Amino acid sequence: MRQQIPETVSYALAKLRQAGFEAWLVGGCVRDHLMGRTPSDYDITTSAEPSETEAAFAGERLIETGLKHGTVTVLLGGEPLEITTFRTEGAYSDGRHPDSVAFTRSLREDLARRDFTMNAIAWDGGERFEDPFGGRADIAAGCIRCVGDPRERFREDGLRILRAVRFAAALGFEVEEETAAAARECRGMLARISGERIYAELTKLLTGGHVLPVLTAYPEILCEVIPELQATVGFDQRSPYHCYDVYGHTVRVVAGVPASAELRLAALLHDAAKPACFSLGEDGRGHFYGHAEEGALIAETVLRRLHASNEVRERVTKLIARHMDQIHPSEKAVKREMRKVGPALYFDLLALIRADNLAQTPECAARAAGIDVLEEIGRRILEEEQAFTLAQLAVKGGDLMAAGIPAGPKLGETLDKLLELVIEGEVPNEKEALLKKIKM
Ligand code: ATP
Ligand code: MG
């Protein structure tokens, strides 16, 4: 059974039609609907110009931020709904943006400017589809195909190259042969695209359920947006622990961690410094001293360029810097690690280390079982509210000052020292016992 569209969406379609305009659902929501998935949002395309759309929704709350692209956002039942006027695009001389955008009353012209056939289907919300480029057949075949000549389309807007592979990773579709060849050939166009736009598509690619075959098939496209990974492709680790080259290992770690943007980015960049840190031991084995710290520096550069948020950048670099940490399966050692990285990141770090082990030789993969123990210990520490941060310590700065320690660096050092003693299990986390300790 196909899903019904939300009432607010049918209301909006009806409202535009009553005002004498065409109104269609288009893009991702139509694709999702045809695939039996519940769309995350609905986009409407209409023959009404923005002022006409606004008039049709007089009395509703409107947001005009997208007006110059022809988009009016209507708030219906608290949910934003984007309504965009049919448009055509002029030439693209910069490989990113059309030189001009013009409104049109022709649905077909609007569909023709869209990237892939599966994204160029209009649906009236009922039984009717306008599908001039065979999008429904391509969806049924699991095929990503450009609307029109793929080389032209990729040269107009290089981002579409990354979008092709991100849709492949998200939907499990194949990129049609000519589209794929054009994507590889035109990949240099990606250099013109802003970091923000790359980042949005890259995170969708990485969190896709089919990321492994896609990253395996398109290393050159990935390396176009992250040239720092180029040296990992085909890099032989000369190691008895590794049965894949650095890139092959990397993509398996990406697919092996849970699908959060942060973990996947950390996995993608965790070994980026291996080629630069490679040395050959006397035993003929490859070593990669310092690659975790160096990798964190590479990730810092990449994530700044892509305009990731400070929060994401800090968490990802921390995960990478710590991915070689050897954590002893004891409460003390786990608390020390949790103190260093914070409790939430601790569990993410374990997920990264587990996937890292599993993507090595089968003997190394066996080590992943040890991670379950570290997780269990971590959970117990949280459950029992055992102290591993200053905030949890039973004495505060004020207590120490009352006990005669003056404000200043010494105060912080004493607090740190006391926390260490608590973590080591040498003093219970109780005010009296802790104060007694400083008097000694
Ligand atoms: P998702 O479900 O991930 O949002 P989507 O298909 O809705 O997928 P959007 O980025 O939201 O993707 O874009 C909405 C629609 O706009 C697309 O389906 C496509 O028709 C069109 N579109 C978006 N970006 C481009 C582009 N760079 N070139 C041409 N058409 C595009
Ligand atoms: Mg969308």
Side-chain angles (χ1 to χ4, degrees):
M1 239 297 279
R2 279 194 181 150
Q3 319 244 355
Q4 291 287 310
I5 59 173
E7 246 171 69
T8 50
V9 175
S10 23
Y11 167 82
L13 292 170
K15 209 70 187 158
L16 287 161
R17 289 173 192 152
Q18 278 157 20
F21 301 103
E22 278 187 62
W24 300 84
L25 294 168
V26 73
C29 67
V30 180
R31 192 184 66 231
D32 287 341
H33 170 80
L34 289 167
M35 292 178 69
R37 300 178 171 206
T38 308
S40 53
D41 51 19
Y42 290 81
D43 290 320
I44 292 178
T45 184
T46 180
S47 57
E49 294 203 358
S51 58
E52 295 167 328
T53 299
E54 290 187 337
F57 291 96
E60 308 285 355
R61 274 190 60 199
L62 303 174
I63 306 169
E64 297 186 334
T65 43
L67 224 48
K68 70 172 192 286
H69 307 287
T71 302
V72 175
T73 303
V74 189
L75 277 176
L76 293 173
E79 291 287 317
L81 183 64
E82 288 195 350
I83 302 176
T84 305
T85 304
F86 295 163
R87 38 175 243 226
T88 56
E89 294 174 347
Y92 281 70
S93 44
D94 64 357
R96 286 179 282 205
H97 305 297
D99 301 337
S100 62
V101 171
F103 299 137
T104 164
R105 299 282 188 188
S106 155
L107 172 65
R108 197 188 151 114
E109 281 182 348
D110 180 87
L111 294 176
R113 73 167 171 91
R114 294 176 183 270
D115 47 8
F116 306 110
T117 60
M118 64 181 184
N119 291 344
I121 308 168
W123 174 38
D124 73 349
E127 298 298 316
R128 257 190 83 193
F129 292 89
E130 286 296 320
D131 180 14
F133 307 106
R136 279 174 301 177
D138 281 338
I139 290 174
C143 172
I144 297 166
R145 184 196 311 271
C146 280
V147 171
D149 177 57
R151 277 170 195 81
E152 256 171 51
R153 302 314 307 282
F154 291 146
R155 286 197 191 110
E156 285 173 355
D157 178 1
L159 188 69
R160 292 171 186 156
I161 295 165
L162 193 58
R163 283 173 63 84
V165 289
R166 85 100 151 150
F167 282 119
L171 305 174
F173 284 15
E174 295 284 332
V175 184
E176 176 274 330
E177 213 174 302
E178 233 186 284
T179 297
R184 290 194 173 97
E185 194 179 298
C186 302
R187 64 184 187 273
M189 294 300 296
L190 278 163
R192 306 185 187 201
I193 307 297
S194 72
E196 290 91 338
R197 290 176 83 206
I198 299 273
Y199 183 74
E201 296 298 334
L202 179 68
T203 48
K204 288 183 184 178
L205 192 178
L206 292 176
T207 53
H210 306 266
V211 65
L212 179 55
V214 172
L215 289 184
T216 305
Y218 298 98
E220 63 281 69
I221 290 176
L222 180 70
C223 292
E224 198 62 39
V225 296
I226 309 184
E228 289 85 351
L229 287 172
Q230 189 64 61
T232 68
V233 180
F235 194 94
D236 179 355
Q237 313 209 40
R238 309 280 289 267
S239 160
Y241 309 120
H242 280 280
C243 48
Y244 304 109
D245 69 303
V246 177
Y247 185 79
H249 164 74
T250 296
V251 296
R252 283 168 176 79
V253 181
V254 170
V257 293
S260 77
E262 285 172 9
L263 264 174
R264 296 241 156 143
L265 284 164
L268 185 70
L269 299 167
H270 82 287
D271 276 351
K274 268 194 165 178
C277 294
F278 178 80
S279 63
L280 201 57
E282 283 184 357
D283 51 3
R285 290 181 179 185
H287 298 284
F288 304 94
Y289 302 114
H291 82 273
E293 295 76 11
E294 289 298 316
L297 295 178
I298 293 178
E300 176 81 27
T301 308
V302 171
L303 294 173
R304 275 191 192 276
R305 190 174 65 231
L306 299 181
H307 298 273
S309 70
N310 292 344
E311 204 193 11
V312 167
R313 201 181 64 239
E314 280 160 20
R315 291 166 62 85
V316 169
T317 51
K318 209 172 213 183
L319 286 169
I320 296 174
R322 298 235 158 254
H323 85 270
M324 294 299 285
D325 281 7
Q326 302 278 340
I327 311 167
H328 190 262
S330 68
E331 285 195 346
K332 281 186 216 178
V334 169
K335 279 190 268 186
R336 265 186 249 127
E337 192 73 20
M338 282 180 145
R339 184 183 178 194
K340 281 185 225 156
V341 302
L345 214 56
Y346 171 75
F347 292 100
D348 279 352
L349 179 62
L350 293 185
L352 178 61
I353 296 174
R354 176 190 283 119
D356 194 12
N357 282 329
L358 287 173
Q360 299 177 16
T361 58
E363 299 82 72
C364 294
R367 275 191 279 164
I371 304 296
D372 297 351
V373 178
L374 292 172
E375 246 172 17
E376 186 50 44
I377 298 174
R379 269 199 295 270
R380 194 165 64 229
I381 289 168
L382 293 185
E383 254 167 45
E384 295 176 358
E385 296 180 20
Q386 296 191 41
F388 57 87
T389 64
L390 287 176
Q392 293 167 296
L393 199 64
V395 293
K396 310 285 170 228
D399 300 318
L400 295 191
M401 290 204 281
I405 298 180
K410 179 98 196 309
L411 192 74
E413 279 166 30
T414 311
L415 286 170
D416 281 338
K417 188 81 200 135
L418 289 175
L419 178 60
E420 256 164 56
L421 291 174
V422 169
I423 289 176
E424 296 304 316
E426 289 179 25
V427 195
N429 188 23
E430 291 160 8
K431 193 166 168 178
E432 226 166 280
L434 289 165
L435 288 176
K436 209 150 106 201
K437 208 75 199 168
I438 60 162
K439 291 202 178 104
M440 282 168 37

